[in-house]
Amino acid sequence: MAKKKTKDPQTMSFLDHLEELRWHLIRATTAVLIMGIIAFIAKGFIFDVLIFGPRNADFPTYRGLCWLSQLSGMDNSLCFEQSPFSIQSRKVAGQFSVHIWTSITAGFIAAFPFVLYEFWKFIAPALYENERKYSKGFIFISSLLFFLGVLFGYYVITPLSLNFLGSYQVSELVLNEFDVDDYIRLVRVSVIACGLIFELPIIMYFLAKVGLVTPEFLRKYRKFALVIVLILSAIITPPDIVSQIIVAIPILILYEVSILISKIVVRNNNKKQKKVSVT
């Protein structure tokens, strides 16, 4: 049986590119659904261990804060003894709906490297041969940054938010009884948002590659970036200074890394232009 010939990207029409994109999206979506089905089956681990883990007093973040509190002579002021809120479901299909959407979210997180791989395969034909060699490194670094962001959102943002919002009361007459959908939405937004924010160096790499961003531009507007980071930290964290600083620090580090990456990209582009002009 004859092998199907791969179409030349240079001779492909707009509709051919759309067809190619459609198959990449189908494969990426299939991977997300497969991982989502696995997450759906592993309901006990996903919910009891992962989702509801940050409301337990023995969660690693709370143990670490308690240790720091005792080490700094603050007694047990930062220790988390028991959950200050309860979780309930007030809709008929509430728990089933939560189960479905949580499984899809978990499927997306687990399948992220493959989704990224399909995205890379779609844009790879438009790149130079030497740029395609970095595909494995690109997928690995992007996935690593995303998972680091997910872990940061899960172990830092989520417990800080739950501890603050769960214990906050306008009056002792008002009890904190959170709907399960709202609780999981907070966890989901914290985790996904941090995962995407940690992709900042990759985004800056591509912006520098096409000439939209330069290291001089990033240095010039560093002060404005600091303000934006603080505003962003205030949005995704509880309204207390400590939490905002904890979130702002890694984002600022990523911004400085982005400056270094853009500097390397611009330097390499200049070298290529010099070689072309000499030849």
Side-chain angles (χ1 to χ4, degrees):
M1 184 176 178
K3 292 183 179 180
K4 183 180 178 181
K5 293 183 179 179
T6 304
K7 292 184 179 180
D8 185 1
Q10 301 298 329
T11 60
M12 289 174 64
S13 65
F14 177 71
L15 292 178
D16 290 332
H17 283 291
L18 285 181
E19 178 67 13
E20 194 73 18
L21 176 61
R22 185 173 75 91
W23 280 107
H24 286 296
L25 291 176
I26 289 174
R27 286 191 290 268
T29 304
T30 302
V32 172
L33 290 177
I34 291 174
M35 299 307 296
I37 291 172
I38 295 175
F40 187 87
I41 296 172
K43 179 178 67 173
F45 175 76
I46 294 295
F47 285 92
D48 295 337
V49 177
L50 295 181
I51 300 297
F52 297 128
R55 68 184 298 269
N56 297 327
D58 61 345
F59 193 68
T61 303
Y62 301 135
R63 294 205 306 265
L65 288 174
C66 188
W67 177 77
L68 287 175
S69 177
Q70 295 171 351
L71 187 66
S72 59
M74 298 171 62
D75 297 327
N76 296 326
S77 57
L78 295 179
C79 293
F80 183 80
E81 296 179 357
Q82 62 180 0
S83 177
F85 60 89
S86 61
I87 301 174
Q88 59 182 344
S89 178
R90 295 176 295 176
K91 299 178 182 178
V92 175
Q95 295 197 52
F96 181 73
S97 177
V98 161
H99 190 188
I100 293 291
W101 287 108
T102 300
S103 299
I104 293 174
T105 302
F108 171 76
I109 293 173
F112 183 80
F114 185 80
V115 173
L116 204 61
Y117 171 71
E118 288 296 330
F119 168 76
W120 181 264
K121 281 184 66 177
F122 177 70
I123 66 171
L127 303 176
Y128 294 107
E129 185 63 31
N130 60 331
E131 291 175 330
R132 293 175 195 157
K133 295 178 181 178
Y134 301 115
S135 61
K136 293 182 180 179
F138 165 77
I139 295 170
F140 173 77
I141 294 173
S142 298
S143 300
L144 178 63
L145 288 173
F146 178 77
F147 288 130
L148 285 175
V150 167
L151 291 175
F152 182 78
Y154 180 73
Y155 283 105
V156 178
I157 304 299
T158 297
L160 288 178
S161 300
L162 289 176
N163 192 25
F164 176 82
L165 298 174
S167 59
Y168 186 84
Q169 287 181 291
V170 294
S171 171
E172 293 183 358
L173 299 176
V174 183
L175 300 178
N176 284 328
E177 296 178 346
F178 299 155
D179 189 83
V180 63
D181 187 51
D182 291 333
Y183 174 91
I184 293 179
R185 185 184 298 113
L186 185 147
V187 177
R188 180 173 63 244
V189 170
S190 300
V191 167
I192 298 296
C194 288
L196 296 178
I197 288 173
F198 271 56
E199 293 293 318
L200 181 63
I202 302 299
I203 296 173
M204 288 301 178
Y205 170 82
F206 283 105
L207 291 178
K209 198 71 178 174
V210 298
L212 293 178
V213 166
T214 62
E216 292 76 18
F217 175 85
L218 295 175
R219 291 193 192 99
K220 180 180 178 180
Y221 292 99
R222 183 187 273 116
K223 294 180 180 179
F224 296 98
L226 175 60
V227 174
I228 294 174
V229 166
L230 292 176
I231 293 174
L232 185 63
S233 301
I235 293 174
I236 64 176
T237 60
D240 65 273
I241 301 299
V242 176
S243 299
Q244 293 176 15
I245 292 175
I246 291 175
V247 175
I249 289 175
I251 299 178
L252 290 175
I253 292 174
L254 290 172
Y255 187 83
E256 294 299 324
V257 171
S258 299
I259 295 177
L260 178 62
I261 290 174
S262 64
K263 183 178 179 181
I264 295 173
V265 171
V266 170
R267 184 176 60 194
N268 292 338
N269 288 341
N270 292 335
K271 287 181 179 179
K272 290 179 181 178
Q273 291 178 357
K274 288 180 180 180
K275 289 182 179 179
V276 171
S277 59
V278 170
T279 54

